[in-house]
């Protein structure tokens, strides 16, 4: 029986997953890591990438061997996914020229604004094009030596295969892609080159970007050097085929079967974003809406909030510490389930409490830096239930701002497939999200598996495709028997969230003061 290996480098965890019969997970392994704020940028050390990948794969092998009595055999395909976009430049000798700048950075506002105006196309702060042009504007010394610019997924893929490639979903978040050709937009490439012509740089932007590949296209094979990098034990052998590497947005669409026209999904973890596969183009440019693509190349409207559960996770950790001081050994999952469930017992509008979860800047509301803030009036109803409800609502607030724009475009919002950490706690996250967005939210049985499963499915599609589309492969072979739990909006939650949102928008002035003074 063939297995397929999917690896995702997420914001807080690197995860390796092996899928087998019926594309069901057979084993997994993970490694926790955290970003750092260094030299004015959110970043990760690339040495940690390889420590994390090797640890995750070894733990996967150990789990498989414990379950099946032998290590996994016959791995028929591999896929790499990682947190979307960002900036990783290398010189002609493969030397890293600057620290990895992640999607979380918001210091590219000047570059993004110029590119958006020139292209007539929204360039978000986190896109590789914005990072690149900002480095040019800053006069950074390394820019002249760039030979290859990629993302975290593209870097790992290149290290394992020697191929400079990106899945079209990831590529479309590096630089705008022409949906008709599946390649980078030629007009905009020329306009970018013209913009930097006076800098006398020795490269054209098209020459330093990875090749854009659609789902199912061959993206290289595991090299002998790559096999040693990923698996020093020697279990993995060279020659295993790879699918195109994708960002977590693309693998999230795959993992929720949201790749066909008029489908949508919402991912809620360290960041929060909703994606809608479009039937037609939006009526105009919106700086709050990103235009990207599915892994198969269909246009997608994306609302992306930089902050979601980071501050909420910090509070849950504090409550866990309090329980430990009282001598209560609390399972982490049980702690989340209990605290999230408590939010359902809170007042509809959170009892007058205010919470803002900005651990980093937030482009949707105009913040370059973040300061998590909790505030209340003397007569607010300060209970645990209201406290948790306020923080869960805060995690959804920026998404709601962008969703209101989507609703104004008359896009069909019949159902959102939910996935990510916020939905792991049973019922609460899903019910509050449905009410907050006023859209039914469905969660699949495998929703918690996330991007590692999504990229493993893309690896299987690349290896097994027989002329069928990605949409048909997912619907007919993967999701036809998936159990789905659907929750419709609760009117009381919807009304209460609307009141909270008015307080939230007004309270952002408190957060601006905190950024200025703390």
């Amino acid at each position: 029986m063939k297995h397929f290996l999917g690896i995702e480098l997420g914001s807080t965890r690197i995860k390796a997953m092996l899928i087998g019969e019926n594309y069901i997970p057979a084993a997994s392994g993970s490694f926790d890591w955290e970003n750092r704020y260094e030299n004015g940028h959110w970043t990760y050390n690339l040495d940690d990438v390889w420590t994390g990948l090797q640890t995750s794969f070894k733990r996967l092998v150990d789990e498989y061997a414990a379950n099946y009595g032998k290590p996994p055999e016959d791995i028929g395909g591999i896929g790499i996914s990682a947190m979307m976009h960002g900036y990783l430049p290398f010189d002609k000798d493969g030397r890293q020229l600057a620290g990895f700048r992640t999607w979380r950075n918001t210091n590219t506002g000047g570059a993004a604004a110029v590119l958006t105006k020139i292209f007539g196309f929204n360039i978000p702060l986190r896109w590789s094009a914005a990072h690149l042009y900002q480095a040019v504007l800053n006069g950074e010394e390394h820019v002249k030596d760039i030979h290859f610019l990629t993302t975290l997924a593209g870097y790992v893929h290149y290290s394992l295969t020697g191929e400079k490639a990106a899945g079209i979903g990831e590529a479309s978040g590096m630089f705008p892609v022409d949906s008709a050709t599946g390649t980078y937009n030629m007009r905009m490439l020329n306009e970018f080159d013209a913009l930097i012509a006076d800098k006398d740089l020795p490269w054209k932007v098209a020459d330093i970007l990875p090749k854009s590949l659609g789902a199912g296209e061959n993206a290289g094979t595991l090299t002998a050097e790559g096999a040693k990098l990923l698996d020093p034990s020697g279990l993995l052998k060279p020659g295993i085929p790879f699918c195109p590497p994708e960002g977590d947005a693309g693998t999230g669409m795959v993992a929720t079967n949201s790749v066909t026209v008029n489908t949508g999904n919402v991912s809620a973890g360290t960041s929060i974003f909703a994606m809608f596969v479009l039937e037609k183009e939006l009526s105009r440019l919106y700086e709050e809406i990103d235009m990207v693509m599915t892994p198969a190349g269909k246009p997608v409207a994306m609302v992306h909030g930089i902050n979601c559960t980071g501050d909420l996770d910090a509070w849950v950790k504090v409550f866990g510490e309090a329980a430990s001081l009282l001598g209560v050994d609390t399972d982490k999952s049980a702690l989340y389930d209990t605290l999230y469930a408590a939010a359902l017992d809170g007042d509809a509008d959170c009892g007058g409490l205010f919470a803002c979860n900005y651990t980093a800047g937030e482009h949707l509301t105009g913040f370059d830096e973040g300061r998590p803030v909790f505030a209340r009036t003397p007569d607010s109803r300060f209970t645990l239930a209201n406290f948790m409800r306020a923080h869960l609502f805060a995690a959804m607030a920026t998404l709601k701002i962008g969703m209101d724009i989507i609703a104004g475009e008359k896009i069909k919002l019949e159902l959102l497939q939910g996935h990510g950490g916020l939905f792991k706690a049973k019922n609460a996250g899903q019910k509050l999200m449905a009410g907050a967005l006023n859209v039914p939210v469905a969660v699949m049985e495998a929703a918690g598996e996330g991007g590692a499963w999504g990229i493993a499915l893309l690896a299987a599609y690349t290896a097994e495709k027989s002329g069928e589309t990605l949409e048909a492969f997912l619907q007919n072979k993967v999701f036809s028997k998936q159990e789905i739990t659907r929750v419709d909006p609760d009117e009381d939650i919807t009304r209460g969230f609307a009141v909270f949102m008015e307080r939230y928008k007004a309270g952002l002035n408190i957060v601006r003061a905190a950024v200025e003074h703390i």
Side-chain angles (χ1 to χ4, degrees), residues 166-180:
I168 193 170
E170 178 78 323
S172 68
M174 295 189 72
F175 197 95
V177 168
D178 187 334
S179 58

Side-chain angles (χ1 to χ4, degrees), residues 118 184 187 201 492:
I118 289 175
Y184 300 109
R187 171 181 65 82
L201 296 170
D492 288 339

Side-chain angles (χ1 to χ4, degrees), residues 74-382:
D74 197 16
I75 295 178
I78 301 175
I80 304 296
S81 173
M83 59 192 87
M84 64 185 87
H85 321 326
Y87 183 76
L88 262 174
F90 298 88
D91 68 10
K92 60 182 176 59
D93 298 318
R95 182 171 61 93
Q96 185 181 357
L97 294 173
F100 171 40
R101 300 171 187 179
T102 77
W103 57 271
R104 199 175 186 184
N105 289 286
T106 55
N107 63 316
T108 58
V114 171
L115 294 177
T116 296
K117 182 177 180 180
I118 289 175
F119 293 167
F121 185 94
N122 185 37
I123 303 297
L125 304 183
R126 69 183 183 280
W127 281 23
S128 305
H131 282 284
L132 175 62
Y133 186 50
Q134 191 66 55
V136 172
L137 291 177
N138 293 347
E140 296 186 41
E141 182 66 21
H142 76 269
V143 171
K144 69 180 187 311
D145 297 319
I146 296 177
H147 187 72
F148 176 43
L149 177 64
T150 190
T151 65
L152 184 57
Y155 160 71
V156 174
H157 182 90
Y158 173 67
S159 300
L160 298 178
T161 68
E163 297 290 334
K164 298 175 179 177
I168 193 170
E170 178 78 323
S172 68
M174 295 189 72
F175 197 95
V177 168
D178 187 334
S179 58
T181 65
T183 58
Y184 300 109
N185 186 292
M186 183 58 67
R187 171 181 65 82
M188 297 180 194
L189 289 172
N190 291 334
E191 288 171 342
F192 190 99
D193 289 335
L195 189 62
I196 63 172
D198 64 334
K199 307 297 183 183
D200 294 322
L201 296 170
W203 46 261
K204 300 288 188 184
V205 65
D207 298 331
I208 64 174
L209 293 171
K211 184 179 181 181
S212 172
L213 297 175
E217 292 192 66
N218 190 311
T221 59
L222 185 65
T223 63
E225 296 80 7
K228 292 178 182 177
L229 267 178
L230 182 55
D231 173 35
S233 76
L235 177 66
L236 285 177
K237 304 301 180 186
I240 300 173
F242 275 67
C243 67
E246 274 291 354
D248 52 1
T251 53
M253 283 188 276
V254 172
T256 55
N257 195 23
S258 302
V259 295
T260 59
V261 170
N262 290 331
T263 60
N265 75 93
V266 55
S267 172
T270 305
S271 66
I272 187 166
F273 55 87
M275 309 184 72
F276 311 94
V277 186
L278 298 177
E279 192 171 8
K280 60 181 181 179
E281 297 290 334
L282 298 180
S283 64
R284 65 177 182 84
L285 180 155
Y286 295 96
E287 293 188 3
E288 300 89 347
I289 307 296
D290 308 346
M291 292 302 300
V292 291
M293 291 185 174
T294 71
K298 286 184 167 58
V300 173
M302 179 181 188
V303 180
H304 181 270
I306 293 171
N307 301 279
C308 185
T309 62
D311 187 43
L312 186 57
D313 291 340
W315 281 109
V316 172
K317 183 179 178 182
V318 167
F319 286 127
E321 290 175 356
S324 295
L325 288 175
L326 292 170
V328 179
D329 186 13
T330 306
D331 174 76
K332 185 177 180 180
S333 295
L335 184 62
Y336 271 92
D337 285 345
T338 301
L339 291 173
Y340 277 35
L344 295 177
D345 295 327
D347 296 327
D349 71 338
C350 310
L353 306 183
F354 168 79
C356 180
N357 61 334
Y358 294 177
T359 56
E362 186 55 73
H363 67 102
L364 278 168
T365 48
F367 282 80
D368 292 329
E369 297 181 49
R371 297 291 187 276
V373 171
F374 171 73
R376 62 189 177 96
T377 62
D379 59 348
S380 297
R381 282 178 43 78
F382 187 31

Side-chain angles (χ1 to χ4, degrees), residues 424-456:
K424 287 184 179 179
K426 294 179 180 179
N427 191 35
Q430 185 181 3
K431 187 171 183 178
L432 291 173
M433 181 74 77
L437 302 183
N438 199 22
V439 178
V441 174
V443 174
M444 293 185 180
E445 185 181 8
E449 303 296 353
W453 186 51
I455 195 67

Side-chain angles (χ1 to χ4, degrees), residues 34-92:
E34 289 288 345
N35 59 187
R36 310 180 180 108
Y37 191 70
E38 296 177 352
N39 302 316
H41 296 101
W42 290 103
T43 188
Y44 295 81
N45 189 314
L46 294 193
D47 289 340
D48 294 340
V49 168
W50 300 108
T51 300
L53 287 175
Q54 291 172 8
T55 301
S56 298
F57 184 73
K58 183 180 185 305
R59 288 173 177 171
L60 177 154
V61 171
D62 290 345
E63 181 179 288
Y64 187 96
N67 291 339
Y68 300 97
K70 61 180 181 179
E73 300 171 345
D74 197 16
I75 295 178
I78 301 175
I80 304 296
S81 173
M83 59 192 87
M84 64 185 87
H85 321 326
Y87 183 76
L88 262 174
F90 298 88
D91 68 10
K92 60 182 176 59

